[in-house]
Each structure stands twice: as C-alpha cells, then as structure tokens.
Amino acid sequence: MRVLLPVLMLALIVGNLFTILGLTTSLPFGLNRLFLFGGPALTVLATVSIIGIVLHRRR
C-alpha cells in the first residue's frame, strides 16, 4: 500500500490539471467534456484512496 501513495499523489495532480485545462482552454466539445468530468472524477477517486490508505495504516 505504501507504494501506491506516490502514484495516487500523481493522479491527484493530473486530475487537478485536467480540471484546470477543461475550465480555461477552448478545446473541442468532446475533449472539453472529457476533461471536465474526468478531471474531478480522478481527483475525487485519488483523494478517497489516499484517505483510505492513511486511515488503514493508522489502525
């Protein structure tokens, strides 16, 4: 589980980057939707996974 934390941190950064790109650039409609839905989804998934791993390691 400890090996997954750097990967999840990277996923958190990429998710935030996708969200920012989706909000600030004028991409084609399909790509913009992918960034605007995929970015926050990746961010939330990575955040929940990081919290789960940290809480599991505390016990």
Side-chain angles (χ1 to χ4, degrees), residues 22-46:
L23 290 172
T24 59
T25 59
S26 57
L27 297 168
F29 181 72
L31 193 58
N32 196 18
R33 278 186 84 117
L34 176 70
F35 279 8
L36 286 178
F37 288 115
L42 185 62
T43 302
V44 169
L45 183 66

Side-chain angles (χ1 to χ4, degrees), residues 1-20:
M1 288 221 193
R2 192 171 171 164
V3 178
L4 288 177
L5 283 176
V7 174
L8 290 171
M9 295 286 187
L10 185 63
L12 191 64
I13 292 168
V14 169
N16 285 330
L17 178 67
F18 281 175
T19 304
I20 291 168

